[in-house]
Amino acid sequence: MDEIIGVVLEIVFRNDQNGYTVLELEEAGEMFTVVGCFSYINVGERIKAYGKWIQHPDYGKQFKLENYSIVAPSTLSSIEKYLASGLIAGIGQHTAKKLVEKFGLDTLDIIQYNPDRLTEVEGIGGKKAQKIAEAFQEQKELKDIMLFLEQYGIGPSYAVRIYKAYGQATIAEIKENPYKLADDIFGIGFKMSDRVALTMGISHSSEYRLSSGTKFVLNDFHANGHTYVPEGELVSAASSLLGVGEGLIADIIVKMFIEKKLVVEQLGDIRAVYSVPFFKAEAGVTRRLIQFARGTVPEINIDIDKEITKLEQEEGIGLAENQRLAVKESIQQGILVITGGPGTGKTTTIRTIIRLFEKNDLNIMLAAPTGRAAKRMQEATGRDAKTIHRLLEYGFGDDDEEMFFQKNEDSPLECDAIIVDELSMIDILLMNNLLKAIADGTRVILVGDVDQLPSVGPGNVLRDIIESGVVPVVRLNEIFRQAGESMIVVNAHKINKGELPLLNAKDKDFFFIRQEEQQGIVGTIINLCSERLPNFSGLNFFDGIQVLSPMKKGDCGVINLNNRLQAVLNPPEHKKAEKQYRDVTFRVGDKVMQTKNNYKMKWQSILNLEKEGEGIFNGDMGMIINIDNEELFIEVVFDNDKLVRYDFALLDELELAYALTVHKSQGSEFPILVMPITFGPPMLLTRNLLYTALTRAKQLVVLVGKEKYISQMINNNFITKRYSGLKGRLLKFAEL
């Protein structure tokens, strides 16, 4: 076995998932290329590498790594390179140089053992010295943890997440219960934690493994939109995953039921298995909907028809028959669902209801599931609208970990009426928390388009409520003249009815560009976004053009489209900072999206410096305004106001947003929509996906691709079956 020693001069390539790395090593002016798996390595570190020399056909002589050890930096140059690598928050190239000039070969010892002396360096105060010392210690701990996790096949990127969760106790926590990883660490599933557990010697058929595996399968069904799983399907899937007999799985389900770790209930002919939170949520939603439907509300003693006519005159509008019915029912019923497609007057109806409530001194609250939807609601009504999370005043418990809503049955919302928009986006858990916080006697108006895609989270709330017939429903089905002049509206309704859209009508707002090949589709989309549409509309891409795609992968998927659009719309520049994170390059000026709810994320208003808050949510979109590779953070502005700072460790919560999946676009509206029309998985190329996409556009739609795939999507009226017990529960309780 050969052996070389040197300082890491450059990391040419690194796969954060498995640690495979290509790096340049330097010693005494000589350069070596080393390839292999490094659990933890950074520029400036001095290593002793063991392996053998190989001759690569394209890249020449390389050292193929088998093992290595870290050698403490021993020269001023190596210490400076190590500190300047960006490894330690608070130290960049400039600070590294000043530290080495001041402390020389003792620099690392000073940082570790006597960090107070760092303040002797100009520009380093007490707080920064403490931050540098803490970051240095964290890196030492992280290195040990990475080496520990490497033996179980856990790569560096996951190791960082695990360390962030458990800190110094990481190794002890994993040894005690490796299955905690699947529960606690975003991105680590049962299979990875199971591999760790089995390597540690946990029995293949231990109850702990069976319980954890069954829970994983159940959660996987929840992740696909189901609130429960038929017991037979759960047993079969868990048996296949764990490689054990179905009898063992059936027994562990009984044991978990007895221990109240899950719920088993007979729903008609189906024996349903629930996770406890979803069972409680479904039962809670059922109970509250029945109570609102059967309950009474304070009487408003007016001549409704006369008042509606008066409002029409004041507002200069004319309501259709079903719009008038919706306004009447909002006064007379304790709860009401209003549903309808684009151009059918949902917004006008809501505004009229609000005016009528206000004239009768009712205190009204408006809410929607996402920030973008709430903003649209506020702009449409001229009244304050909040996200449901903000309305319910989310907060944290004493341990600062568990999130809860401060508004609930014990501290309900103080209002006479509440109007909730975009109900199709609300999953069963959020719906339960919302209904719990609405006091008896409050008028509840639920608004949504039942033909759009269902919520990303579990449940089929809007469709189940409507199909149960338990709650009064008004369907708005008349397209108004002004809306009917829009081919976007006309075609959305035609598609919803299974009819082919009208393409390229003269002087209209709906266009189709034929392209046979995927590369041609991508090229056309790039040209549309960078030149043709800005020239045509006067809007630049970032002001109102959005690309949507049914899929993530492939030439026309959002991953490739984001990379291609970024390269043209926000190309690299010498003075434009960027950060490589896994397969994504984040760059100042990029359009980005938050990909998970982060209730603790702090933001500062840039329009009102005295205003600040917490919470950035899945689907929020913003722009990168700053990347600091010395302090290790990215700054993003959301909604042209909220400034958020992301530590590099949190970058898995951001993704580029030049192109979005249709699912991610729900609740949003964009002036101009561009979408590829090409082949893809049948479960994605569906009628309601195409319908949902088109209803996101306000001014212009441009589809690019082959017409035959429009036909295929319209003919594919497949709606993914979701296991949801809400409709059945509503029907059952309504009979009591």
Side-chain angles (χ1 to χ4, degrees):
M1 183 179 295
D2 297 319
E3 169 185 318
I4 59 173
I5 192 168
V7 175
V8 179
L9 186 66
E10 179 184 4
I11 295 177
V12 180
F13 170 80
R14 181 167 179 79
N15 184 325
D16 282 332
Q17 302 301 316
N18 58 24
Y20 180 79
T21 305
V22 178
L23 58 81
E24 295 293 335
L25 209 63
E26 179 189 33
E27 185 71 6
E30 192 173 358
M31 299 276 293
F32 312 105
T33 298
V34 181
V35 298
C37 288
F38 290 82
S39 58
Y40 184 94
I41 198 71
N42 284 282
V43 170
E45 290 192 304
R46 195 160 187 258
I47 66 169
K48 183 180 286 187
Y50 307 92
K52 61 182 180 180
W53 292 99
I54 61 171
Q55 189 70 28
H56 192 280
D58 296 323
Y59 302 113
K61 189 178 181 181
Q62 296 180 334
F63 191 81
K64 187 175 181 181
L65 183 78
E66 292 188 19
N67 201 355
Y68 74 100
S69 60
I70 302 291
V71 180
S74 58
T75 67
L76 295 179
S77 175
S78 63
I79 292 172
E80 184 177 333
K81 286 177 182 176
Y82 173 68
L83 293 176
S85 65
L87 173 70
I88 301 169
I91 301 181
Q93 292 182 354
H94 182 63
T95 304
K97 184 177 182 65
K98 290 201 295 184
L99 285 168
V100 172
E101 287 176 350
K102 176 67 177 177
F103 300 117
L105 296 176
D106 296 328
T107 300
L108 299 182
D109 286 339
I110 294 290
I111 294 173
Q112 184 172 3
Y113 301 114
N114 198 5
D116 290 344
R117 288 196 60 196
L118 296 177
T119 58
E120 297 174 19
V121 176
E122 183 182 356
I124 298 180
K127 287 185 178 180
K128 186 169 183 178
Q130 182 181 0
K131 180 180 180 181
I132 290 172
E134 290 173 351
F136 187 82
Q137 180 61 31
E138 181 178 295
Q139 292 304 316
K140 288 178 64 66
E141 293 171 355
L142 182 57
K143 185 180 298 184
D144 293 336
I145 288 163
M146 283 183 165
L147 291 172
F148 168 77
L149 294 173
E150 182 185 33
Q151 63 186 312
Y152 301 112
I154 296 179
S157 63
Y158 288 121
V160 172
R161 295 187 201 177
I162 295 168
Y163 176 74
K164 290 291 184 185
Y166 303 135
Q168 294 178 335
T170 296
I171 294 175
E173 291 277 357
I174 293 173
K175 284 182 175 179
E176 179 186 354
N177 176 13
Y179 290 102
K180 289 187 69 173
L181 295 173
D183 294 334
D184 299 342
I185 310 301
F186 178 71
I188 292 186
F190 169 79
K191 293 181 180 180
M192 187 179 293
S193 60
D194 190 42
R195 184 175 67 239
V196 174
L198 294 176
T199 305
M200 287 181 171
I202 290 180
S203 170
H204 195 71
S205 58
S206 73
E207 284 191 356
Y208 202 78
R209 179 173 185 264
L210 299 179
S211 175
S212 183
T214 301
K215 181 181 177 182
F216 167 75
V217 173
L218 187 54
N219 285 336
D220 195 45
F221 273 90
H222 293 324
N224 285 302
H226 307 288
T227 60
Y228 72 84
V229 189
E231 186 177 32
E233 289 191 35
L234 178 60
V235 168
S236 176
S239 172
S240 176
L241 171 72
L242 298 172
V244 300
E246 292 189 356
L248 288 175
I249 302 300
D251 290 344
I252 204 68
I253 289 174
V254 172
K255 187 174 189 299
M256 293 172 74
F257 172 66
I258 292 171
E259 294 173 349
K260 297 184 179 180
K261 294 180 178 178
L262 50 75
V263 175
V264 182
E265 186 180 53
Q266 195 71 34
L267 295 179
D269 298 332
I270 297 174
R271 188 170 166 84
V273 182
Y274 286 86
S275 293
V276 174
F278 292 102
F279 174 79
K280 289 183 176 179
E282 201 171 86
V285 170
T286 301
R287 181 177 64 255
R288 291 301 287 154
L289 287 173
I290 294 291
Q291 288 172 344
F292 285 123
R294 291 179 174 175
T296 58
V297 290
E299 184 177 354
I300 298 178
N301 189 19
I302 58 172
D303 185 328
I304 298 177
D305 286 310
K306 184 177 179 180
E307 288 295 328
I308 293 174
T309 300
K310 187 176 179 181
L311 280 172
E312 286 179 308
Q313 293 171 349
E314 291 174 357
E315 300 292 328
I317 59 174
L319 298 179
E321 181 180 350
N322 279 5
Q323 286 182 299
R324 292 181 69 91
L325 177 61
V327 177
K328 285 183 180 181
E329 293 285 87
S330 72
I331 290 289
Q332 297 170 337
Q333 303 290 344
I335 186 168
L336 173 68
V337 172
I338 301 173
T339 186
T344 57
K346 292 195 298 294
T347 299
T348 300
T349 304
I350 293 172
R351 283 202 299 256
T352 305
I353 291 171
I354 290 172
R355 289 278 287 113
L356 188 57
F357 284 174
E358 288 175 341
K359 289 184 71 172
N360 288 277
D361 298 322
L362 269 63
N363 179 24
I364 312 159
M365 289 184 172
L366 308 182
T370 68
R372 288 170 292 156
K375 186 177 180 181
R376 282 179 50 212
M377 193 180 192
Q378 184 165 313
E379 291 171 348
T381 62
R383 273 73 170 179
D384 183 44
K386 296 180 179 179
T387 64
I388 295 173
H389 287 86
R390 292 205 182 283
L391 189 75
L392 300 183
E393 299 179 12
Y394 63 88
F396 294 89
D398 294 336
D399 59 2
D400 204 35
E401 289 296 329
E402 184 177 357
M403 189 275 292
F404 68 98
F405 290 110
Q406 297 179 66
K407 290 297 181 181
N408 51 43
E409 57 266 53
D410 297 321
S411 178
L413 297 167
E414 297 178 2
C415 62
D416 302 309
I418 181 168
I419 303 175
V420 184
D421 200 7
E422 295 285 0
L423 199 74
S424 64
M425 298 179 64
I426 301 179
D427 63 33
I428 194 70
L429 294 177
L430 186 56
M431 189 67 176
N432 184 43
N433 282 296
L434 174 62
L435 294 180
K436 282 195 301 184
I438 301 175
D440 291 339
T442 303
R443 287 175 165 82
V444 181
I445 316 295
L446 306 174
V447 185
D449 186 347
V450 72
D451 295 312
Q452 290 192 22
L453 292 169
S455 60
V456 174
N460 212 8
V461 174
L462 178 58
R463 186 174 294 275
D464 281 352
I465 293 174
I466 290 174
E467 291 184 354
S468 75
V470 170
V471 173
V473 177
V474 176
R475 296 177 183 269
L476 305 180
N477 47 26
E478 180 178 326
I479 301 176
F480 284 83
R481 183 184 62 80
Q482 186 176 358
E485 295 174 356
S486 166
M487 294 309 300
I488 298 174
V489 172
V490 170
N491 283 336
H493 284 276
K494 289 176 77 68
I495 287 167
N496 200 31
K497 292 187 287 187
E499 301 172 5
L500 289 174
L502 301 174
L503 304 178
N504 297 330
K506 187 177 180 181
D507 298 326
K508 291 294 184 178
D509 54 8
F510 193 103
F511 296 94
F512 180 81
I513 300 175
R514 293 171 181 82
Q515 279 289 349
E516 294 293 317
E517 303 299 329
Q518 292 218 355
Q519 287 300 323
I521 294 173
V522 173
T524 300
I525 288 174
I526 292 172
N527 181 251
L528 283 166
C529 293
S530 61
E531 296 181 21
R532 293 171 63 181
L533 287 174
N535 292 337
F536 172 77
S537 66
L539 293 174
N540 68 45
F541 180 85
F542 298 96
D543 287 336
I545 302 171
Q546 183 63 56
V547 178
L548 300 184
S549 175
M551 61 211 79
K552 290 184 178 180
K553 298 180 180 180
D555 289 339
C556 292
V558 297
I559 295 174
N560 182 58
L561 286 170
N562 269 316
N563 291 334
R564 296 287 302 276
L565 287 164
Q566 180 196 44
V568 173
L569 297 170
N570 189 31
E573 295 178 9
H574 176 65
K575 293 184 179 180
K576 189 178 289 185
E578 58 183 48
K579 166 64 179 174
Q580 183 72 32
Y581 185 77
R582 298 182 186 163
D583 297 329
V584 179
T585 299
F586 291 110
R587 187 174 296 132
V588 170
D590 276 339
K591 186 178 183 181
V592 292
M593 172 183 278
Q594 173 79 8
T595 61
K596 60 183 291 191
N597 290 336
N598 188 328
Y599 302 99
K600 293 185 178 181
M601 184 70 83
K602 290 179 170 49
W603 54 264
Q604 172 73 54
S605 171
I606 60 176
L607 301 178
N608 179 1
L609 296 180
E610 296 182 356
K611 183 180 179 182
E612 58 184 25
E614 290 184 341
I616 297 295
F617 301 104
N618 186 10
D620 286 350
M621 295 173 65
M623 178 175 286
I624 296 175
I625 64 164
N626 181 36
I627 297 178
D628 193 318
N629 284 301
E630 180 165 317
E631 297 290 341
L632 311 183
F633 64 79
I634 285 179
E635 289 182 314
V636 179
V637 172
F638 292 94
D639 297 327
N640 297 315
D641 181 29
K642 297 176 184 175
L643 176 64
V644 177
R645 178 173 292 189
Y646 288 81
D647 292 337
F648 282 174
L650 293 175
L651 293 186
D652 60 342
E653 297 186 12
L654 283 179
E655 63 183 27
L656 297 177
Y658 297 89
L660 305 175
T661 62
V662 177
H663 284 83
K664 287 278 189 180
S665 73
Q666 285 181 269
S668 299
E669 276 190 348
F670 311 103
I672 299 175
L673 167 68
V674 182
M675 182 173 170
I677 301 293
T678 184
F679 63 85
M683 70 282 296
L684 293 178
L685 301 187
T686 63
R687 182 189 300 177
N688 69 333
L689 184 139
L690 181 59
Y691 171 79
T692 300
L694 298 188
T695 57
R696 302 304 91 208
K698 294 169 64 176
Q699 299 175 14
L700 182 66
V701 167
V702 184
L703 305 180
V704 184
K706 299 178 72 171
E707 290 166 288
K708 76 173 186 177
Y709 293 112
I710 295 180
S711 299
Q712 286 186 15
M713 294 179 81
I714 293 169
N715 292 331
N716 182 11
N717 198 26
F718 172 74
I719 298 176
T720 303
K721 168 67 177 175
R722 286 193 168 192
Y723 293 122
S724 166
L726 180 60
K727 176 182 174 181
R729 290 181 191 279
L730 286 169
L731 290 170
K732 180 180 177 181
F733 276 85
E735 294 170 356
L736 298 178

